[in-house]
Amino acid sequence: MTELRSSLLSWYANQGRSLPWRKTRDPYAIWVSEIMLQQTQVKTVIPYFERWMQQFPSIESFANADLQTVLKAWEGLGYYARARNFHRAAQQVLQEYEGQFPTNLETALKLPGIGRTTAGGILSAAFNQSLPILDGNVKRVLARIMALEVPPSRSMSQLWELSETLVDPEKGRDFNQALMDLGATVCTPKNPACLICPWRSHCKAYNRGIQSELPMSETRAPIPHKVIGVAVIWKDQKILIDRRKAEGLLGGLWEFPGGKVEPGETIEQCIQREIQEELGIEIEVGEHLITVDHTYTHFRVSLNVHHCQHVAGEPQAIECDEIRWVTLDQLPEFPFPKANIKIIEALKSSCSNG
Ligand code: SF4
């Protein structure tokens, strides 16, 4: 263990990445980075992190911001439940812990959106606590070191145990950062650079020549595909948008209305029916604008978007929280999911081309 720790720490001293959240010990800033990094790559997170810290420099400023502003700042990062939980957790820290992030693991774990890896990541980076972490990169490194013969999800307790045994008792901060860097830059998913790896001589996968076969892949069922009809409804140069209900996937974000195509239905029929059911209005479905394909964790969608014209009726928020008529120029003021942003871009170029 001592040899593993010291070889990794000296590798990190020379090869560790310089990342903006490593220049601070502020638990709030580190918390921001940990939440953003949960399902997003470092290079995408960096500009978001920097903008976020300018917009919400303290836990107070973040907790007191309204959710729409928060979702707008998060726009494009995906997995919006992270932003909503983070916002609730910040309000809780402000109200219950005088704005100080808890230094105790059990207390931190009670906050919304904070699991064991995130808590370990924050407490080690901010307070140098020697707590284990197990993110995607770390799982891969450890699965290879121990030549784990089952997919990681089937051996989580063993992996946690190894992470806990390995973490340096005095240098939890640097050790965990080093372990993440090793996974991100050397022990990569494809073609790990074993020849420059500080752990090569202790790595069972390398010693057996099976590093590229590990970790064993999780067997997954194919994910379902939903075909959706989407309406860009025009009336007097304005477009109708709706705010999704606060809970669930993409909760609280704005969107162009629409819904799932039923068996035997054309896209046009689907749009007409959905708009009647969701908003209680009659529309005329016009020409096709764009089809956007997007993959979420558990399903894929194809959004078939059509220009539509309002014909009759006053729109009502039947299956959403709010509706608004807005101009094309106002659309960027509202937080939209990524797939809808492509629709906005297509709208802008179709309108500028007349
Ligand atoms: S020797 Fe290779 S497989 Fe083993 S930890 Fe290092 S990079 Fe990963």
Side-chain angles (χ1 to χ4, degrees):
M1 284 304 154
T2 317
E3 158 60 20
L4 280 171
R5 287 178 195 137
S6 66
S7 60
L8 182 64
L9 286 167
S10 50
W11 171 83
Y12 178 65
N14 294 315
Q15 308 291 332
R17 292 174 294 178
S18 161
L19 300 171
W21 46 89
R22 287 190 182 159
K23 297 180 186 136
T24 178
R25 299 282 184 264
D26 172 12
Y28 164 66
I30 292 165
W31 187 10
V32 173
S33 72
E34 286 285 338
I35 300 294
M36 288 185 174
L37 288 165
Q38 275 173 357
Q39 273 121 337
T40 311
Q41 290 187 338
V42 165
K43 68 174 189 309
T44 310
V45 165
I46 291 174
Y48 274 94
F49 173 81
E50 285 172 341
R51 278 196 300 271
W52 188 278
M53 293 309 295
Q54 292 207 332
Q55 190 173 356
F56 310 114
S58 63
I59 201 158
E60 289 82 2
S61 59
F62 171 47
N64 291 328
D66 73 82
L67 184 60
Q68 287 295 297
T69 311
V70 169
L71 291 172
K72 184 70 197 164
W74 196 269
E75 188 180 73
L77 273 176
Y79 301 98
Y80 291 85
R82 290 185 291 176
R84 294 195 304 267
N85 284 332
F86 185 19
H87 193 226
R88 278 200 292 134
Q91 290 171 335
Q92 204 171 316
V93 168
L94 194 62
Q95 283 153 17
E96 293 174 23
Y97 309 115
E98 296 172 347
Q100 305 298 314
F101 190 86
T103 53
N104 168 284
L105 178 66
E106 279 69 38
T107 314
L109 283 172
K110 289 189 186 132
L111 293 169
I114 297 205
R116 201 169 161 193
T117 283
T118 304
I122 298 169
L123 295 177
S124 63
F127 308 113
N128 198 27
Q129 293 188 21
S130 294
L131 291 167
I133 54 167
L134 197 57
D135 69 1
N137 282 326
V138 175
K139 258 186 236 168
R140 182 172 59 255
V141 177
L142 301 186
R144 284 174 174 163
I145 283 286
M146 66 202 284
L148 190 66
E149 284 169 0
V150 292
S153 66
R154 287 211 253 144
S155 198
M156 291 300 281
S157 56
Q158 238 182 314
L159 289 166
W160 273 112
E161 210 173 291
L162 181 57
S163 183
E164 193 159 13
T165 315
L166 277 170
V167 65
D168 190 290
E170 272 147 32
K171 295 178 180 163
R173 172 186 297 128
D174 284 354
F175 184 87
N176 280 343
Q177 300 299 322
L179 193 51
M180 288 190 274
D181 277 13
L182 189 73
T185 64
V186 176
C187 195
T188 47
K190 285 187 190 148
N191 304 321
C194 302
L195 294 179
I196 57 163
C197 177
W199 278 1
R200 191 179 42 172
S201 56
H202 298 276
C203 176
K204 288 191 181 161
Y206 174 73
N207 288 318
R208 294 182 200 166
I210 54 168
Q211 64 273 23
S212 298
E213 290 154 42
L214 297 181
M216 284 185 70
S217 60
E218 314 280 348
T219 38
R220 287 200 187 128
I223 62 171
H225 179 211
K226 299 182 188 178
V227 179
I228 311 282
V230 177
V232 173
I233 305 170
W234 291 92
K235 183 188 175 188
D236 302 332
Q237 309 277 319
K238 290 194 170 170
I239 301 165
L240 192 63
I241 56 173
D242 70 80
R243 186 156 57 81
R244 292 174 69 100
K245 289 192 183 293
E247 292 311 316
L249 183 76
L250 311 176
L253 295 182
W254 290 80
E255 65 177 7
F256 298 97
K260 211 169 125 197
V261 178
E262 301 287 354
E265 203 175 40
T266 65
I267 302 283
E268 285 84 350
Q269 288 165 340
C270 156
I271 292 177
Q272 212 133 29
R273 174 185 53 74
E274 284 285 344
I275 298 308
Q276 183 69 55
E277 288 170 6
E278 275 184 31
L279 304 167
I281 57 170
E282 206 181 305
I283 55 164
E284 188 183 301
V285 182
E287 67 184 50
H288 174 255
L289 170 67
I290 187 176
T291 297
V292 180
D293 294 312
H294 193 77
T295 304
Y296 294 97
T297 317
H298 301 297
F299 62 93
R300 267 174 334 113
V301 289
S302 293
L303 305 180
N304 297 276
V305 189
H306 281 250
H307 285 289
C308 300
Q309 200 59 44
H310 175 260
V311 175
E314 193 55 39
Q316 303 148 49
I318 301 171
E319 288 183 19
C320 56
D321 274 353
E322 192 183 343
I323 41 181
R324 282 203 206 174
W325 289 104
V326 294
T327 63
L328 191 54
D329 292 340
Q330 287 171 321
L331 287 174
E333 293 164 20
F334 299 85
F336 279 90
K338 213 173 196 167
N340 276 237
I341 290 178
K342 291 193 185 146
I343 303 175
I344 297 176
E345 283 162 13
L347 260 177
K348 281 189 182 150
S349 61
S350 89
C351 290
S352 63
N353 294 334

